[in-house]
Amino acid sequence: MAVTLNDIARKAGVSLATVSLALNDSNKVNKDTKIRIKEIADELNYVPNARARALVKKSTKTIGLVIPEVVNPFFAELAQAIKDYVRSQDFNVILCSTDYQSEEELRYINMFRSGQVDGAIFACVGDMMAQHNDLIIKLVEENIPVIYVDRDGVDHDLIPVVKSDVYHAAYQAADYLISLGHRELAFAGQSVERLNGFKSALMKHGLELKEENIYYDYLRMEGGYTVGEKIAARDNKPEAVVCLNDEMAIGVIQALIAEKVKVPEDISVVGIDNIKMANFYNPSLTTVNIPVSQMGDKAAEILLKRIAGETLSPKEKFFIFPTELVIRDSSRKA
Amino acid sequence: MAVTLNDIARKAGVSLATVSLALNDSNKVNKDTKIRIKEIADELNYVPNARARALVKKSTKTIGLVIPEVVNPFFAELAQAIKDYVRSQDFNVILCSTDYQSEEELRYINMFRSGQVDGAIFACVGDMMAQHNDLIIKLVEENIPVIYVDRDGVDHDLIPVVKSDVYHAAYQAADYLISLGHRELAFAGQSVERLNGFKSALMKHGLELKEENIYYDYLRMEGGYTVGEKIAARDNKPEAVVCLNDEMAIGVIQALIAEKVKVPEDISVVGIDNIKMANFYNPSLTTVNIPVSQMGDKAAEILLKRIAGETLSPKEKFFIFPTELVIRDSSRKA
DNA sequence: GCCCTCTTTTAAAACGTTTAAATTAACATA
DNA sequence: TATGTTAATTTAAACGTTTTAAAAGAGGGC
């Protein structure tokens, strides 16, 4: 059916090997024959068979990207950045979203072991599911390089990590709210690291964190909405809320507004991530920027280097991106 | 390095073929040997080499999904649905976003021709870029099935189409606004089909469409923002705006609000798509629902059938999903 | 004419599976 | 004992490349 090297060889009256060499621009083959072979290949509309090539080259020019879901602006942006980067080096991305299911991650790991990818990026929210660090290490030992994005728990020599400083992000958010004069702060979301950053800001200013002001909930808009409802129902409402991410913050705000609690007049709400919608929401969202595209670029860059067999400098094995407070309209002075 | 059939064969003292048959649960191989072989395979932690298997089976268990960008809630949701569906049949998805670049689509088509995928779904906004229908037909003729989602231009016998009735969606939006009493309607976005639906609603009610009320702009929030600014700057503003999609609508609203034009008090704004944010935006967005997840499911289902070699019924080759008006807070009576 | 070198081409192995066809063994039947 | 049947196993080809080592050919110098 499809045109193969053999077809070209026959037509050109040379051996299959010569054709292969010619099409790969080897300097071992005569200039004129090379041209002739290339012409014939063009004429027959030849495309090399990626499956056969993958087998012998032991490479598929494909990487796996493990994220919880694409329907999530943060991960969508990450995916976009990574895809753009690797594509510039002729790699492709297999979209591996786990929907926060631990077993799905497992299935992907096995798929990776089968040699369907040359490497993988794991960008799951670590807190949320059972870890498979041991299996992922095995993957690396079988020579399938892995990079972690915003995930930790393994020796960086084996698995480089690209992070944002989310601890600091939460700290910045809380610190900023306190500087506005707010004293009763709430936190929404489930992330140990962010919660710790939040706590440390309170501590620095000698504020105590009441248990009732910590809301564990699903990290999307729906989860935020639930939190917002709960807050609106309280008599002694917190003055300000720091949310795990912008989506939650939007959910919180939407619920508060629905319950006639004004943002920012009654309560200030701050997110983390700085997704595009933060700027278009109404009120526009005060948040802490996480340079997710840059993180994606970096992760992709490092992964491709590993795949190419390059050794990484220690600095490249643990890369942490700074975060930045972005003040908009969802927060105001106490 | 990695464990192969040969390793197992040696250890089990049988031939490589027996191992292959055993692991594939062939009934040609003796029960006991089968068990023994499987045990050894387990023990050695064997995973079949996907590359080798792909070569001989002429299948990679992978499909390509061509979309303009993942950073776009509509396509993200489509991707999610498609991924979920095909994954249930042990297929994977290669993420092929074109960023609205025609050449990128071309590169993907060539990648597909190389046999890296068993089939592909093209879900590009047709209006926006040069079409490659001819090349895509070639793809199909080379036995790589293709499905179009919300894209047209080819004999459906070759390339089945899964669509939503966006013509009707725009019609519904305009018709609804007119029923509210609005007379001066504007349209934002570039889509022939939607614009036509919009026009037909005006015509039905005997309203004329002024050239100045058509805004061609980029179909994301930024584009909408530009449109909103232009509208806000006008003396004789339209009373209502129908936007190509929800993202544009949000951009329009955000610009209007920034320019002190109230939505919906001064201008009603309606979107199309019903992305999740439509429900969380403030004001919540009146829009026309497009059942994108269902469309993704359908497209995936049909594609996998084609890949499996099944013949499709005529009904399956052109599937159109109905749309539905969703009234929320961004629109109100004149 | 012979040897050497350099260029060009080819044969063949390899990659790790699947699978059709052939072989072997065991056993029943005539 | 010969023959046929069935079940289990193996041999070998195939998939379409890449790549190494070897072969062939072309000049050139002596």
Side-chain angles (χ1 to χ4, degrees):
Chain A
M1 192 79 245
V3 181
T4 72
L5 287 184
N6 230 319
D7 300 328
I8 300 176
R10 228 182 340 254
K11 189 147 187 180
V14 296
S15 81
L16 173 157
T18 309
V19 177
S20 175
L21 293 173
L23 295 180
N24 285 306
D25 252 331
S26 162
N27 57 0
K28 287 187 187 170
V29 37
N30 182 281
K31 240 186 185 176
D32 296 338
T33 21
K34 200 191 276 188
I35 292 174
R36 194 159 49 88
I37 288 174
K38 282 187 173 173
E39 276 173 1
I40 296 178
D42 269 0
E43 185 189 330
L44 295 182
N45 220 332
Y46 170 77
V47 181
N49 182 311
R51 293 184 299 252
R53 181 177 276 174
L55 180 59
V56 40
K57 295 270 245 179
K58 298 175 183 305
S59 150
T60 55
K61 288 269 190 183
T62 300
I63 69 162
L65 172 61
V66 183
I67 56 179
E69 41 181 4
V70 250
V71 188
N72 179 316
F74 183 82
F75 291 110
E77 208 174 313
L78 183 72
Q80 181 116 310
I82 289 173
K83 193 234 79 185
D84 285 349
Y85 189 97
V86 303
R87 191 102 180 110
S88 72
Q89 318 258 64
D90 255 309
F91 273 74
N92 286 299
V93 172
I94 292 191
L95 176 63
C96 308
S97 58
T98 64
D99 220 350
Y100 302 98
Q101 302 296 307
S102 199
E103 320 88 67
E104 265 300 276
E105 182 168 293
L106 210 60
R107 284 182 65 206
Y108 284 122
I109 292 174
N110 268 319
M111 191 257 278
F112 296 164
R113 281 194 64 212
S114 78
Q116 239 180 87
V117 301
D118 296 348
I121 295 176
F122 283 80
C124 281
V125 184
D127 298 35
M128 297 210 52
M129 15 187 281
Q131 301 273 321
H132 297 112
N133 285 329
D134 43 345
L135 292 174
I136 297 177
I137 288 174
K138 250 191 205 156
L139 209 57
V140 175
E141 287 168 348
E142 285 172 358
N143 264 315
I144 299 178
V146 168
I147 310 291
Y148 276 2
V149 170
D150 261 353
R151 172 167 167 157
D152 217 323
V154 167
D155 175 17
H156 302 147
D157 256 355
L158 264 85
I159 303 183
V161 175
V162 173
K163 301 195 58 163
S164 58
D165 196 349
V166 288
Y167 173 96
H168 187 59
Y171 175 92
Q172 282 173 295
D175 187 61
Y176 159 71
L177 287 168
I178 295 168
S179 78
L180 290 181
H182 299 297
R183 289 293 166 265
E184 179 107 7
L185 267 59
F187 180 87
Q190 32 192 329
S191 157
V192 176
E193 208 173 343
R194 295 175 200 213
L195 180 56
N196 283 343
F198 176 80
K199 280 180 183 165
S200 84
L202 295 203
M203 242 156 62
K204 177 188 147 201
H205 291 93
L207 300 175
E208 67 163 329
L209 175 59
K210 300 179 194 146
E211 197 53 49
E212 72 210 58
N213 281 337
I214 304 182
Y215 292 90
Y216 296 95
D217 216 306
Y218 181 51
L219 51 68
R220 301 215 50 201
M221 289 192 288
E222 296 84 343
Y225 199 91
T226 311
V227 173
E229 284 179 322
K230 285 181 187 161
I231 289 177
R234 276 170 59 171
D235 289 334
N236 57 336
K237 299 181 180 46
E239 303 159 53
V241 187
V242 173
C243 299
L244 174 133
N245 63 19
D246 290 345
E247 284 206 78
M248 280 199 90
I250 287 172
V252 168
I253 293 175
Q254 182 71 350
L256 290 177
I257 289 175
E259 302 290 335
K260 312 287 181 219
V261 179
K262 285 185 185 143
V263 177
E265 290 79 0
D266 301 334
I267 296 186
S268 289
V269 178
V270 175
I272 294 176
D273 276 358
N274 195 22
I275 62 176
K276 193 178 262 182
M277 183 55 73
N279 194 30
F280 282 89
Y281 196 68
N282 182 31
S284 65
L285 196 65
T286 296
T287 185
V288 182
N289 182 64
I290 294 187
V292 55
S293 291
Q294 291 171 49
M295 287 168 65
D297 280 351
K298 195 70 187 175
E301 179 196 333
I302 294 179
L303 181 62
L304 293 194
K305 273 192 183 173
R306 277 250 159 145
I307 291 175
E310 293 181 39
T311 48
L312 303 178
S313 68
K315 275 182 193 170
E316 288 178 301
K317 289 183 186 160
F318 184 81
F319 209 98
I320 191 157
F321 279 88
T323 61
E324 194 186 356
L325 184 69
V326 180
I327 297 172
R328 296 207 186 88
D329 298 339
S330 65
S331 57
R332 65 159 215 172
K333 279 196 177 161
Chain B
M1 193 75 245
V3 181
T4 73
L5 286 184
N6 230 318
D7 300 328
I8 301 176
R10 229 186 334 256
K11 189 147 185 179
V14 296
S15 83
L16 172 159
T18 309
V19 177
S20 175
L21 292 172
L23 295 180
N24 285 306
D25 251 332
S26 162
N27 57 359
K28 286 186 190 170
V29 37
N30 182 281
K31 240 186 184 174
D32 297 337
T33 21
K34 199 192 276 188
I35 292 174
R36 195 161 47 88
I37 287 173
K38 282 187 174 175
E39 277 173 0
I40 295 177
D42 269 1
E43 186 191 329
L44 295 183
N45 221 329
Y46 170 77
V47 180
N49 183 311
R51 295 185 297 251
R53 181 178 276 173
L55 178 59
V56 41
K57 296 269 244 178
K58 297 176 183 305
S59 149
T60 55
K61 289 272 193 177
T62 300
I63 69 162
L65 171 61
V66 183
I67 56 178
E69 42 180 3
V70 251
V71 188
N72 180 317
F74 183 82
F75 291 109
E77 209 175 312
L78 183 74
Q80 181 116 310
I82 290 173
K83 194 234 80 184
D84 285 348
Y85 188 97
V86 304
R87 191 99 181 111
S88 73
Q89 319 259 66
D90 257 309
F91 273 74
N92 287 300
V93 172
I94 292 190
L95 175 64
C96 308
S97 58
T98 64
D99 220 349
Y100 302 98
Q101 303 296 306
S102 201
E103 320 88 67
E104 264 300 275
E105 182 168 293
L106 210 61
R107 284 182 66 204
Y108 284 123
I109 292 173
N110 268 322
M111 192 255 281
F112 296 163
R113 283 193 63 212
S114 79
Q116 236 177 92
V117 301
D118 297 348
I121 295 176
F122 283 81
C124 280
V125 183
D127 297 34
M128 296 210 52
M129 17 185 277
Q131 302 273 321
H132 297 112
N133 286 328
D134 44 342
L135 291 175
I136 297 177
I137 289 174
K138 250 193 205 155
L139 210 56
V140 174
E141 287 169 349
E142 287 173 356
N143 264 313
I144 299 177
V146 168
I147 311 291
Y148 276 3
V149 171
D150 261 354
R151 171 165 166 157
D152 218 324
V154 167
D155 176 18
H156 302 146
D157 257 356
L158 264 86
I159 303 183
V161 174
V162 173
K163 299 195 58 163
S164 57
D165 196 349
V166 289
Y167 173 94
H168 188 59
Y171 175 92
Q172 282 173 296
D175 186 61
Y176 159 71
L177 287 168
I178 296 168
S179 78
L180 290 180
H182 298 298
R183 289 291 167 266
E184 178 107 6
L185 269 58
F187 180 88
Q190 33 193 330
S191 156
V192 177
E193 208 172 342
R194 296 174 200 215
L195 181 56
N196 283 342
F198 176 80
K199 280 180 183 165
S200 84
L202 295 203
M203 241 156 63
K204 178 191 149 202
H205 291 93
L207 299 175
E208 68 163 328
L209 174 59
K210 299 180 195 145
E211 197 53 49
E212 71 209 57
N213 281 338
I214 304 182
Y215 291 91
Y216 296 94
D217 216 305
Y218 180 50
L219 51 67
R220 302 216 51 201
M221 289 192 286
E222 296 83 342
Y225 199 91
T226 312
V227 173
E229 285 179 323
K230 285 182 189 160
I231 290 178
R234 276 170 59 172
D235 289 333
N236 58 338
K237 298 181 182 48
E239 302 160 53
V241 187
V242 173
C243 300
L244 174 131
N245 62 18
D246 290 345
E247 284 206 80
M248 280 200 89
I250 287 172
V252 168
I253 293 176
Q254 182 71 352
L256 290 177
I257 290 175
E259 302 292 333
K260 311 286 180 221
V261 180
K262 284 182 187 148
V263 178
E265 290 79 0
D266 301 334
I267 297 186
S268 289
V269 178
V270 175
I272 294 178
D273 278 356
N274 194 22
I275 61 176
K276 190 176 262 181
M277 183 56 72
N279 194 31
F280 282 90
Y281 197 68
N282 182 29
S284 67
L285 196 65
T286 296
T287 184
V288 182
N289 183 63
I290 293 187
V292 55
S293 291
Q294 290 171 50
M295 288 168 64
D297 280 350
K298 194 71 186 173
E301 180 196 333
I302 294 179
L303 181 62
L304 292 193
K305 274 192 183 173
R306 277 251 159 144
I307 291 175
E310 292 181 39
T311 50
L312 303 177
S313 68
K315 275 182 192 170
E316 288 178 302
K317 289 182 185 160
F318 184 80
F319 208 97
I320 189 157
F321 280 87
T323 61
E324 194 186 355
L325 184 69
V326 180
I327 298 172
R328 296 206 185 89
D329 299 339
S330 65
S331 57
R332 63 157 216 174
K333 279 198 177 158

